[in-house]
Amino acid sequence: AQKVTQAQTEISVVEKEDVTLDCVYETRDTTYYLFWYKQPPSGELVFLIRRNSFDEQNEISGRYSWNFQKSTSSFNFTITASQVVDSAVYFCALSDTFSGGYNKLIFGAGTRLAVHP
Amino acid sequence: GAVVSQHPSWVICKSGTSVKIECRSLDFQATTMFWYRQFPKQSLMLMATSNEGSKATYEQGVEKDKFLINHASLTLSTLTVTSAHPEDSSFYICSARRSGTTKETQYFGPGTRLLVL
């Protein structure tokens, strides 16, 4: 079955600390997509990254970086030098052909990140 | 960019009334739209997949007679919560898949908070 596990329910850090949010997924498919979304207090989901299963290159975008490892079915997200504005709930999501004909997104439970000044 | 709007952003209603939520893709055509529900401090759960011109596909456990979905055009899908009750109070989020793109591209609306008294 398809599943996304975000074991960290809440993380609290002090500004400028680095923080890694873990995401472990399960899928029977060989072709799938992984996503990270940010949900600030306003509630609107902000798209951060999409990665397909054939691209295991790590990616860096400013203070954000992602580590995709198929061998461990993990797609972890690191924020370097965290800032108060990074405080939000972060969701990891999976989309594969077994989710249905329209590639439904399966979300993890989310990790609430609190960055304190 | 691809913008999805939702209206209203907030709605408070009395128990037993029906509430209609609109989801619009503002600058693109969306063959498929998705409706999610998010309870406080929980993840997003897919309720149904809506396709233009056809009946919606509901997820297991979602009552199709209670949550009516209409996708009459390529830019508009509506979710009607019929005979709403306090347990229907939640954050409802829609997303739209842009026509002609790869299946994994979904754009999210800002969400609608429903409070049933």
Side-chain angles (χ1 to χ4, degrees):
Chain A
Q2 304 79 40
K3 187 179 178 182
V4 177
T5 301
Q6 294 180 254
Q8 304 151 307
T9 306
E10 294 188 23
I11 300 176
S12 181
V13 299
V14 177
E15 216 172 11
K16 297 185 182 178
E17 285 186 20
D18 299 346
V19 58
T20 296
L21 283 61
D22 298 333
C23 174
V24 175
Y25 62 92
E26 295 177 32
T27 177
R28 294 176 289 166
D29 214 342
T30 55
T31 302
Y32 52 89
Y33 296 88
L34 295 164
F35 303 79
W36 275 96
Y37 288 91
K38 174 182 180 180
Q39 187 177 43
S42 64
E44 184 165 1
L45 281 175
V46 177
F47 168 80
L48 295 178
I49 190 171
R50 177 185 66 238
R51 176 52 51 90
N52 74 56
S53 52
F54 297 109
D55 182 3
E56 287 194 70
Q57 277 193 332
N58 291 330
E59 183 157 338
I60 298 175
S61 176
R63 295 184 297 108
Y64 296 168
S65 62
W66 290 269
N67 184 348
F68 177 28
Q69 294 197 350
K70 288 178 73 171
S71 60
T72 56
S73 296
S74 65
F75 186 41
N76 296 338
F77 172 34
T78 297
I79 302 175
T80 304
S82 59
Q83 300 176 2
V84 173
V85 293
D86 296 327
S87 297
V89 180
Y90 291 86
F91 290 99
C92 180
L94 166 72
S95 173
D96 64 13
T97 56
F98 287 102
S99 302
Y102 307 104
N103 290 74
K104 295 179 289 189
L105 285 174
I106 299 166
F107 284 86
T111 296
R112 184 174 300 274
L113 173 65
V115 182
H116 303 283
Chain B
V3 180
V4 177
S5 70
Q6 280 185 242
H7 178 79
S9 55
W10 266 101
V11 57
I12 301 174
C13 68
K14 291 182 179 179
S15 186
T17 60
S18 294
V19 175
K20 180 185 282 188
I21 302 170
E22 293 185 348
C23 177
R24 292 182 185 273
S25 55
L26 298 183
D27 52 358
F28 66 98
Q29 292 185 331
T31 309
T32 305
M33 289 184 171
F34 303 85
W35 286 95
Y36 296 83
R37 181 168 52 182
Q38 185 181 30
F39 291 109
K41 296 196 175 185
Q42 293 189 24
S43 187
L44 283 77
M45 296 301 294
L46 181 66
M47 299 175 66
T49 303
S50 162
N51 287 286
E52 186 266 337
S54 63
K55 289 183 179 180
T57 302
Y58 290 82
E59 295 300 298
Q60 194 171 8
V62 178
E63 300 174 57
K64 62 180 180 181
D65 294 330
K66 179 169 183 62
F67 299 99
L68 302 179
I69 291 173
N70 184 283
H71 193 160
S73 78
L74 287 173
T75 59
L76 173 64
S77 176
T78 60
L79 167 67
T80 301
V81 183
T82 62
S83 186
H85 288 93
E87 58 266 29
D88 298 323
S89 298
S90 188
F91 189 47
Y92 292 87
I93 307 171
C94 74
S95 71
R97 181 171 73 82
R98 194 171 192 158
S99 300
T101 60
T102 51
K103 292 182 179 181
E104 75 279 9
T105 307
Q106 286 188 36
Y107 302 92
F108 283 85
T112 297
R113 296 192 186 277
L114 170 63
L115 177 60
V116 184
L117 301 176

